[in-house]
Each structure stands twice: as structure tokens, then as C-alpha cells.
Amino acid sequence: MQIKKSAQKIRTGIAVGMIAAATVVSCSPVKEYQKNRLNDGEMALANRKVEKTELSFQSYREGASGANAGKSGGGCGCN
Amino acid sequence: MRKLSLTVIGLYIGLLAAFSQNSKPDSTQFKSRKISFEEANLVSSYYKQDGNNSAVTGGIGSEKLTDISNSIEIKLHKWDVKGRKHTYDFELGVDHYTSASSDLIDSKANSSASHADTRVYPSANWTMENDAKGTTFGAGGSISYEFDYLSFGGNINFAKKTKNRNGEFSGKLFTYIDNLKLIYPVELRTGATTPRGENYPTAGRNTFGGSFSYSQIVNQRLQLAFLLDVIYQSGYLGLPFHRVYFNNGTELVESLPGTRIKTPIGFRANYFVGDNVILRGYYRYYKDDWGLDAHTLNLETSVKITPFASVSPFYRYYTQSAVDYFAPYMTHKTTDPYYTSNYDLSKFTSQMYGAGIRLTPPKGILGMEHWSMLELRYGHYTKSNGMNSDILSMNLKFK
């Protein structure tokens, strides 16, 4: 059972790695003057500032946290 | 006369050439070395929740809670002699909450001292960006204070852009050194304490972590980010006022292991469809050594009604397994090495949906030039165990 689980994890890891590698390889370089859409305020690869309290209560009410530039434990009486 | 005309035309062409635009970047552009105001953000939220699985009363009882939070952030910057940009970010946050379950830490009191509290959390961060090299260094510190909890945080961070400026790796190391007052349920206290007294014993909780990300522009419409955090916590990781009732009727406070290792891994993708729609996607897989696995999926669509106004409906789905130490009210055995009846650590799914509106008129909100943005967002959250909440938030930006 344990071996089966480990094999599944390895397969998932390989699949994620391959998707990530394929994505990076298939990129076409974008010049600064071509970034008008990418520079739009809502295209930022980050949480919106208005989500601040939302992320905070999620870290209190749920067991998981982190990998979202928010709190990932510590600093408050949350998990 | 002909010679004179040619001379005038020659001078005119010379002057035109001298004042025409130069396509080469101006490397000698003046940048003020004085500290300048960049922007200020005011974020306010009203949050309310209800449910029937409070950890304070052992997994049963009201989870009713309201929270009002306000924070102000001021960002300043200056340029140094080497052309590097220094940004100084100061933030002060104040939250005030009232909680029906915390009130029952002292179950004999009606509206006890713990029914409400205020949390104050200032922070300061500095970053130095070298545009020529594509690097950024930074450091910061934070404090968080509430009646029973004091935390000191620190971080250092680094980022480096790829050669073609389409990718960026960033890393952050952070720590929180926390101290909490062990305020036990009134019936389990030993020794003399005053209602808001100074005689409570204390315990420490330390957090050390690394946060790493790689972002990549795929094309003119799509960009991605891969995120990984590794967090190690040690010390008192439960809360001293979370009751546990065992199957033989006895009562204690929750007991959890003294260490915890968390490994969340995330992925973001933002795609600009046509000229008016932005799709924002986020997925996270989380695992820790307490036996908790979780998946989070967040999808948001921003529709630009005008170039300066957008509406963003969103949906979030979350699912987690229980930690190894969770059991409901009166089902733990006294022989269990660790025990908790905190439903935030139980098996459940949650859903959240809502919408936001964002206004960025070129002449400022209500014609006020410095008030550059107004954003409002509402969300409704439900857990499969019946807990639900609503949150209304607002962000005002001044430039």
C-alpha cells in the first residue's frame, strides 16, 4: 500500500515537472513594448490587496496555509 | 541670395536634427535621490461567521464571531548614486473582534474579558532593486500584539530576473518568534489569576520558513508562477483554551505535537482573453506531517466594463483531510497521545464565491487626482460542517 502511494507520488511529481518544463520551453520572448496586457494591474501574479483579511481568516479556519504569499503559520494565534 | 537660402535651410535641418527624438535610451536620466511618496493603501474589512463546532467548547457550541480590520500601508522610494531603487514599506494594521466562543473560556461569566480583543500589527520592509542587473534584495520586520499573543517576525528576500526579463526567481527566508499566554478554561486553571491578570504562564512558538517562486511570461497574454513554501514550527502549537471532552466524560485542553512541517506547493496562471477579459487561476496542494492533505482551487474572471472599471466574480473550492489527532466531542480516548476537537483541523470541504469591483478613473475617484483606485469585494464562505461566513472588504489607493 505504502509502495503504491509512493509510486503514485513519483508519477505525479514527474507529470508536474514535465508540464512545467514544457511550459518554460514553449515560451516566446516578449519585449518590454509588447507587455501592455501583461502590465495590467489585474494581471499581477499575486493576491489583490483587498483579499488581505480573506486570506487571514482562511488561515484561521482551514488547516492548510502558505504558497500564496500570505501567512503560512506563526505571527498570530492561527494554525 | 541662393547661398543664403541654402545656409538657412541647412541651419533649419541642423536644428531639427538636434531637437528630434533620440531612439537610444537616456542613461543619464535624472532620478531624484530624495525620498518620494509612491503610494498609500487603506484596506478595511468586515467579517462575520457562525457555526456550531467551536473548539473552545470541545467541538460543540456557537462559533459566532465578528471582526473589523483596518490597515494602512505607506510606500516611499528613493534612488541611490548607483541608480538602484530603494523602497520603504510601512504598514500598521488593527483588528478588533468579538467572539461568542472565546467568551466561554470562562464559562461562568457572562460577557467575560475574553469576549473581545484587539490585535495591532505594525511592519516595515525595505527592498533595493537594481534594474540594470535585474536583482532585488530586501529585508523586513513585524510585530503582532494581542492580549494573549505577542509575535516578532523577520525576513530577508532575494529576486533575480532572467536574461531576457521574461522570468524571475525569488526566494524569501522568514521567521516568527511568538509568545502566548496560557489562558486555560476557567475550570482547569490552577493558582490565582486576575481576570486580565499577569499571572498566566507563557509558552513559545517558533516558525522558520522558506518561500520560493519562479514566474514566467509565456507570451503577450499569458504568465505563470510556480510557488513552494517549506515551513517548520516548534513549541506550543495548540491553543490553551481549546477544550477536549473524552469518551469517559473527563475534560482537558487540546494536546498537539511540539513540531510541525508544512509543505504547500502552488501554481498561478493569468491569461488576458481578447481586450476585456482576464482569467486568473490558482491551485495549491498542501501536506504536513500531522497527516493533513489539502487541495485549493481558485478561479476568477475580471471583465473590463470600461478601460477604468472592472467586475471580478470568483469561486474558490477547498478540501482537506483531518489531522491524525482529531476526534469529535466525547470520542477521544484518554490513552490518545495527542487530541483535539478543533473542527478547523477536521475533514471538510469549503466553497467561497463572490465578486469584486475595481475603479481606476484617469482623473481620480470623484475627480480627486491622488485617489487613484477604489476596490470593493464581497465573499460568502461555507464549510461542509455547516460553518459559514461573509466578508466585505475595501481597498483605497492614493498616489
Side-chain angles (χ1 to χ4, degrees), chain A residues 2-17:
Chain A
Q2 194 63 36
I3 294 167
K4 227 178 182 180
K5 268 189 177 176
S6 301
Q8 197 182 347
K9 276 180 192 169
I10 291 166
R11 277 201 297 273
T12 310
I14 291 169
V16 170

Side-chain angles (χ1 to χ4, degrees), chain B residues 259-293:
Chain B
T259 63
R260 190 177 185 186
I261 297 171
K262 305 174 178 180
T263 46
I265 181 165
F267 171 74
R268 276 185 198 281
N270 291 353
Y271 186 66
F272 211 122
V273 187
D275 291 327
N276 301 315
V277 178
I278 295 170
L279 303 177
R280 288 163 61 91
Y282 171 73
Y283 168 77
R284 175 182 66 190
Y285 172 68
Y286 169 97
K287 187 170 178 58
D288 68 30
D289 63 348
W290 285 8
L292 197 146
D293 283 89

Side-chain angles (χ1 to χ4, degrees), chain B residues 246-265:
Chain B
F246 294 87
N247 58 2
N248 63 1
T250 55
E251 177 199 346
L252 284 173
V253 293
E254 72 179 0
S255 171
L256 290 164
T259 63
R260 190 177 185 186
I261 297 171
K262 305 174 178 180
T263 46
I265 181 165

Side-chain angles (χ1 to χ4, degrees), chain A residues 30 37 42 48 52 62 67, chain B residues 91 166 275 300 310 381:
Chain A
V30 178
R37 285 192 176 86
E42 301 197 74
R48 296 168 184 270
K52 189 182 161 74
E62 296 172 349
Chain B
E91 191 172 348
N166 280 198
D275 291 327
E300 187 181 296
S310 64
Y381 178 89

